[in-house]
Amino acid sequence: MNLAGLSLRDLEYVVAIADEGHFGRAAERCNVSQPTLSVQVRKLEGALGLVLFERSNRRVLMTAPGQIIVRQARAVLAEAQRLLALASEGRGAPLTGRLVLAAIQTLGPYFFPLVLRTMRQEFPMLALALSEGRTADILAALRDGRVDAALVSLPLPASGLTVSPLFVEPFRLACPADHALAQRGALRAADIAGPDLLLLDEGNCLRDQAIAACGAGSAAGRHATSLETLRSMVAAGAGYTLLPALAVPSGPDPSGLTVIRGFDTDGPGRTIALAWRASDPRAPGLAALAAFFRAQAPAGTAACREATIAAG
């Protein structure tokens, strides 16, 4: 097979199938009919002399050779996107085209609704695809091109990345209404390093930050898989937990089961930043996106005063 028989569109098809695990959804994502996509992928498999996908009525699995081809296809498509981005940046064009923006799970559901309307007005030519996950998974996706930019919490290993701090988000204490901490005076982070501290599962950066903030041991407290489960555990009287300010509901708990407490002036918090690959030629546009997020720092947070961008 020579290069004349290899099209970027065919590579988009196989990557879409790998991502979706389904020919129909991949065709919808690529804006083609399923028969067209299937025929093109069969032709590509024939030209390569490889079977890329194991097909059944229920699911589609990548074969071992398929995993290698899809990995390289992602790299080729990423370089093609960089070529287009270089041309756009050379013409002084703003951030345009498809942008996959990821956020850590404890931020995305609470931050995205606050900024999306204004963001679409500010970047009208940007086609956003949103995702969320744990920090390690997001950084892996960022480095291999499945994600273009990520909203993460500092610190993080920045090798090969450009990181732009956006705002500082304080933590709040959520505790049962009848707990001693609910009636206590000014709270310090050290006050919550007790056996009733509830934490997220291992692998979540908020868990590590909560432990570091109050000086608790790594095995302290019971665990949950999400902030919403933690909130329910607090309402059930199982203990108390730290919540990021953006995840705190407005107004008092209508059930009266929980209360939210703030900390003193030196209370714990986290710094949210936007990260992208240092090699991405859309760097000026991504820096503009970071500046937008910084200007849109939500109420209750503090925008980072310096727009210093650190390249790792």
Side-chain angles (χ1 to χ4, degrees):
M1 182 180 185
N2 57 40
L3 287 177
L6 182 64
S7 82
L8 292 177
R9 191 59 170 159
D10 291 343
L11 298 185
E12 288 182 334
Y13 291 161
V14 299
V15 168
I17 296 168
D19 287 345
E20 302 294 338
H22 189 276
F23 273 73
R25 290 194 296 271
E28 183 177 341
R29 167 172 152 177
C30 296
N31 294 314
V32 296
S33 67
Q34 183 172 338
T36 296
L37 181 140
S38 297
V39 167
Q40 289 302 115
V41 172
R42 289 285 191 190
K43 285 183 179 179
L44 179 62
E45 289 178 318
L48 294 173
L50 298 171
V51 176
L52 305 181
F53 300 102
E54 179 183 334
R55 301 156 171 89
S56 71
N57 292 332
R58 292 187 175 182
R59 59 181 178 174
V60 177
L61 299 175
M62 281 190 292
T63 62
Q67 292 176 356
I68 297 172
I69 296 299
V70 167
R71 187 181 307 119
Q72 188 60 36
R74 292 189 194 278
V76 172
L77 291 173
E79 289 302 323
Q81 285 289 346
R82 289 191 180 97
L83 185 150
L84 295 177
L86 281 170
S88 294
E89 294 294 344
R91 297 192 302 268
L95 197 59
T96 62
R98 187 170 187 265
L99 183 82
V100 182
L101 176 63
I104 51 176
Q105 293 170 321
T106 56
L107 176 70
Y110 313 102
F111 181 63
F112 284 144
L114 301 178
V115 298
L116 282 179
R117 178 179 293 276
T118 308
M119 187 176 176
R120 291 182 64 182
Q121 295 170 348
E122 187 77 11
F123 302 94
M125 301 303 292
L126 197 60
L128 269 179
L130 303 178
S131 67
E132 61 183 52
R134 296 189 176 191
T135 301
D137 296 331
I138 288 176
L139 293 181
L142 184 59
R143 290 192 170 96
D144 69 18
R146 287 176 289 132
V147 165
D148 299 309
L151 290 159
V152 291
S153 176
L154 300 181
L156 76 161
S159 176
L161 301 179
T162 298
V163 181
S164 181
L166 304 178
F167 55 85
V168 177
E169 181 184 19
F171 293 150
R172 305 282 187 246
L173 178 72
C175 65
D178 58 356
H179 195 279
L181 289 177
Q183 310 302 325
R184 193 162 177 169
L187 289 177
R188 300 171 303 160
D191 295 334
I192 65 172
D196 291 341
L197 178 62
L198 304 175
L199 298 168
L200 288 173
D201 286 337
E202 289 187 12
N204 195 298
C205 62
L206 183 60
R207 169 195 171 88
D208 298 333
Q209 290 163 349
I211 291 172
C214 65
S218 60
R222 281 145 288 179
H223 306 154
T225 57
S226 70
L227 288 183
E228 299 310 312
T229 301
L230 278 180
R231 206 193 312 273
S232 296
M233 291 171 69
V234 172
Y240 51 80
T241 193
L242 284 178
L243 294 178
L246 296 185
V248 174
S250 59
D253 179 3
S255 71
L257 294 174
T258 63
V259 296
I260 302 296
R261 296 288 314 278
F263 290 88
D264 58 23
T265 53
D266 296 321
R270 63 182 182 179
T271 300
I272 300 299
L274 184 70
W276 61 89
R277 290 181 298 280
S279 60
D280 197 320
R282 296 170 294 178
L286 292 167
L289 181 62
F292 165 81
F293 285 140
R294 195 175 296 110
Q296 299 294 317
T301 70
C304 294
R305 294 185 178 181
E306 295 184 4
T308 302
I309 297 177

